[in-house]
């Protein structure tokens, strides 16, 4: 029986992934490990770790593990490391792939709505403002949020990650470069603004999307509803409703008041599921089906 490890199994994503693994129909043995534990030989493993731990662990374990799925940002922009959302680019994983990166949670929700439209419309620009849940910052941020007097209590904080030399936050730069890599659209322009809000779980984005041709709203809705794990709703969908759900939800779709080549919409999704653990589970399912 194949052995698949979760390294960092006690964190928020690691615990969620343990529950997600129970949904996989192919039998396999789960090996739950801490970041400092001795790691036995494994057929595959998911690193539920931050950048420093992933950078430290990969060279130590790459010859002991057949396939590694890394949840951190450490390897996402490396040329030979596929950045994978199984609904969008499963072809990026081949028999020779050994290291696979799972994308940033905010980027995941955005590209889930862009992917079904890229074959219908020549997309050129996307603007988004994110409203990111506290759980996206991990267990420590959730504990801080629940402490009286927290900066995040009844508040919006327009900084996620660290400010870079160009003035962007590290989270905003992920939105730019990961979108281009996943969609294989190196020329699409991405204009991000990322905000942490006083919501415990489920990220949201307000999105403006531009194409070179006018959008047909009915066609957009049909394309979204035909895409796996994506759903358009005429009614308002909020993070409270999206939390615990596998779907990415889109609503509030409308054509721009002046330019028919622009649409505006709202999306919300569970950042611990499709934004993290569910995506890792889907990658493991793909590996079990094709390569293990």
């Amino acid at each position: 029986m194949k052995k698949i490890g979760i390294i960092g199994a006690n964190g928020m994503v690691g615990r969620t992934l343990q529950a997600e693994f129970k949904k996989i129909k192919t039998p396999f043995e789960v090996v739950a490990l801490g970041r400092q534990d001795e790691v036995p030989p494994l057929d595959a493993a998911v690193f539920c770790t931050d950048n420093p731990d992933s950078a430290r662990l990969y060279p130590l374990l790459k010859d002991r593990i057949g396939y590694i799925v890394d949840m951190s940002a450490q390897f996402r922009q490396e040329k030979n490391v596929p950045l994978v959302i199984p609904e969008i680019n499963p072809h990026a994983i081949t028999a020779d792939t050994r290291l696979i990166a799972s994308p940033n949670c905010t980027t995941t929700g955005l590209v889930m709505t862009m992917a079904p439209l890229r074959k219908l419309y020549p997309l050129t620009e996307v603007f988004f403002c994110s409203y990111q849940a506290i759980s996206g910052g991990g267990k420590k941020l959730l504990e801080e949020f629940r402490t009286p007097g927290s900066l995040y209590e009844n508040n919006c904080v327009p900084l996620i990650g660290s400010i870079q030399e160009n003035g962007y936050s590290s989270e905003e730069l992920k939105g730019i470069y990961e979108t281009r890599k996943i969609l294989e659209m190196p020329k699409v322009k991405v204009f991000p603004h990322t905000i942490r809000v006083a919501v415990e779980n489920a990220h949201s984005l307000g999105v403006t999307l531009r194409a070179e041709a006018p959008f047909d709203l009915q066609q957009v809705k049909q394309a979204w509803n035909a895409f796996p794990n994506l759903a358009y709703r005429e009614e308002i969908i909020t993070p409270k409703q999206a939390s615990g759900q596998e779907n990415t939800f889109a609503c509030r779709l409308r054509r721009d008041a002046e330019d028919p080549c622009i649409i505006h919409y709202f999306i919300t999704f569970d950042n611990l599921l499709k934004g993290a653990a569910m995506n890792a589970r889907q990658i493991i399912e793909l590996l079990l089906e094709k390569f293990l």
Side-chain angles (χ1 to χ4, degrees), residues 5-18 31-37 39 45-50 53 56-57 61 71 139:
I6 302 174
I7 298 174
N10 295 320
M12 292 188 70
V13 173
R15 292 199 306 270
T16 306
L17 184 57
Q18 291 183 63
V31 182
L33 299 160
R35 301 180 186 201
Q36 304 297 330
D37 290 348
V39 178
V46 180
F47 285 4
C48 298
T49 49
D50 55 18
D53 277 329
R56 174 181 62 85
L57 289 169
L61 299 178
M71 304 302 291
K139 184 164 57 176

Side-chain angles (χ1 to χ4, degrees), residues 3-260:
K3 292 185 177 182
I4 299 179
I6 302 174
I7 298 174
N10 295 320
M12 292 188 70
V13 173
R15 292 199 306 270
T16 306
L17 184 57
Q18 291 183 63
E20 283 293 294
F21 271 3
K22 295 177 182 178
K23 299 177 183 178
I24 298 177
K25 295 179 181 179
T26 303
F28 67 94
E29 180 183 345
V30 180
V31 182
L33 299 160
R35 301 180 186 201
Q36 304 297 330
D37 290 348
E38 181 69 23
V39 178
L42 298 167
D43 295 289
V46 180
F47 285 4
C48 298
T49 49
D50 55 18
N51 290 8
D53 277 329
S54 290
R56 174 181 62 85
L57 289 169
Y58 177 67
L60 296 175
L61 299 178
K62 63 183 178 70
D63 295 328
R64 216 180 304 176
I65 301 173
Y67 296 89
I68 293 172
V69 180
D70 183 46
M71 304 302 291
S72 81
Q74 181 65 32
F75 303 105
R76 290 175 187 162
Q77 291 304 317
E78 291 197 9
K79 185 177 180 181
N80 295 322
V81 177
L83 185 60
V84 176
I85 295 177
E87 294 93 338
I88 298 174
N89 61 339
H91 57 272
I93 301 175
T94 70
D96 297 325
T97 304
R98 289 297 175 265
L99 176 61
I100 302 154
S102 187
N104 171 264
C105 48
T106 306
T107 304
T108 297
L110 176 68
V111 297
M112 282 288 288
T113 61
M114 293 176 66
L117 303 182
R118 61 182 169 168
K119 295 179 181 180
L120 301 173
Y121 303 96
L123 306 179
T124 59
E125 297 178 339
V126 61
F127 301 72
F128 75 85
C129 189
S130 71
Y131 310 96
Q132 296 180 224
I134 301 296
S135 61
K139 184 164 57 176
K140 288 184 179 179
L141 191 65
L142 198 57
E143 290 172 354
E144 180 186 339
F145 171 66
R146 292 169 177 169
T147 301
S150 165
L151 171 65
Y152 300 96
E153 183 181 1
N154 298 320
N155 209 2
C156 296
V157 180
L159 175 61
I160 300 175
S162 57
I163 297 292
Q164 306 299 295
E165 290 184 2
N166 61 3
Y168 282 78
S169 73
S170 53
E171 186 81 357
E172 288 159 353
L173 293 179
K174 292 173 189 176
I176 296 172
Y177 299 120
E178 293 184 28
T179 295
R180 292 172 175 170
K181 184 171 181 177
I182 295 163
L183 295 176
E184 300 172 354
M185 298 174 64
K187 294 183 179 180
V188 71
K189 294 182 179 179
V190 183
F191 302 89
H193 198 100
T194 57
I195 302 172
R196 188 77 70 189
V197 297
V199 171
E200 288 205 2
N201 194 56
H203 288 352
S204 303
L205 291 86
V207 182
T208 294
L209 185 61
R210 182 195 297 271
E212 292 178 352
F215 284 99
D216 179 318
L217 296 190
Q218 194 59 36
Q219 186 181 50
V220 170
K221 295 174 187 179
Q222 290 173 352
W224 281 345
N225 282 327
F227 199 71
N229 298 310
L230 177 62
Y232 176 76
R233 295 289 184 264
E234 294 292 349
E235 69 271 19
I236 299 297
I237 303 293
T238 67
K240 187 179 291 188
Q241 294 161 287
S243 186
Q245 302 296 315
E246 293 192 351
N247 277 341
T248 295
F249 293 95
C251 63
R252 288 291 328 278
L253 175 66
R254 64 229 185 250
R255 190 181 289 111
D256 187 76
E258 298 180 347
D259 189 338

